[in-house]
Amino acid sequence: MFRISVNWEKVLDYSFLPNESYPGEYEDYVRSLVNSHIFKLTEVEDLIKGIKNNKDILRIAISFEKDSIVFFQELKNMGNKAASEVLEKLIDEERGHIKKIVAMIKDL
């Protein structure tokens, strides 16, 4: 349905230096974000069990896109200007995905 097109090499070319109040704060925070959101792979089976129709699938997709936006926004808030610009582009891409998914739901 959608292909995530992130040029990670370009993202990694920027010096992404997090603002930390203690060493390892950035890593701890990112880890907690990943562990608390829908892309937690250990819960995929539970998500699949709850799918009853196409709308359910699309609602899960919207949740994934929203969680991606939250994740990228938090990284953006912690990074430098160069990294923030790249992350804003990723956020805009996720917003576009949500618009497409909402249109699909309306067409069902």
Side-chain angles (χ1 to χ4, degrees):
M1 181 186 315
F2 296 105
R3 186 176 72 85
I4 298 174
S5 56
V6 177
N7 183 346
W8 288 110
E9 288 180 16
K10 185 175 180 182
V11 172
L12 296 174
D13 281 344
Y14 295 103
S15 51
F16 187 81
L17 303 172
N19 300 318
E20 295 184 319
S21 60
Y22 64 87
E25 178 184 26
Y26 171 76
E27 182 180 347
D28 291 345
Y29 183 67
V30 171
R31 226 179 267 283
S32 68
L33 273 177
V34 169
N35 289 334
S36 67
H37 287 302
I38 197 167
F39 34 71
K40 188 174 179 182
L41 296 177
T42 58
E43 297 175 2
V44 170
E45 285 186 31
D46 291 335
L47 283 173
I48 292 171
K49 288 177 188 174
I51 295 173
K52 306 289 185 237
N53 54 48
N54 289 340
K55 280 188 180 182
D56 290 342
I57 294 168
L58 293 173
R59 286 187 186 115
I60 291 171
I62 287 174
S63 292
F64 183 85
E65 299 297 341
K66 286 179 178 179
D67 279 354
S68 296
I69 289 171
V70 169
F71 182 72
F72 291 141
Q73 186 64 49
E74 292 302 323
L75 291 179
K76 180 182 161 194
N77 291 341
M78 297 182 81
N80 60 33
K81 186 179 179 197
S84 293
E85 290 171 4
V86 172
L87 290 164
E88 187 60 38
K89 289 178 184 178
L90 292 171
I91 291 167
D92 287 341
E93 187 173 322
E94 300 306 308
R95 287 180 183 134
H97 295 166
I98 290 172
K99 289 177 188 176
K100 289 177 184 177
I101 295 168
V102 168
M104 290 177 178
I105 290 173
K106 287 180 181 178
D107 288 342
L108 291 178

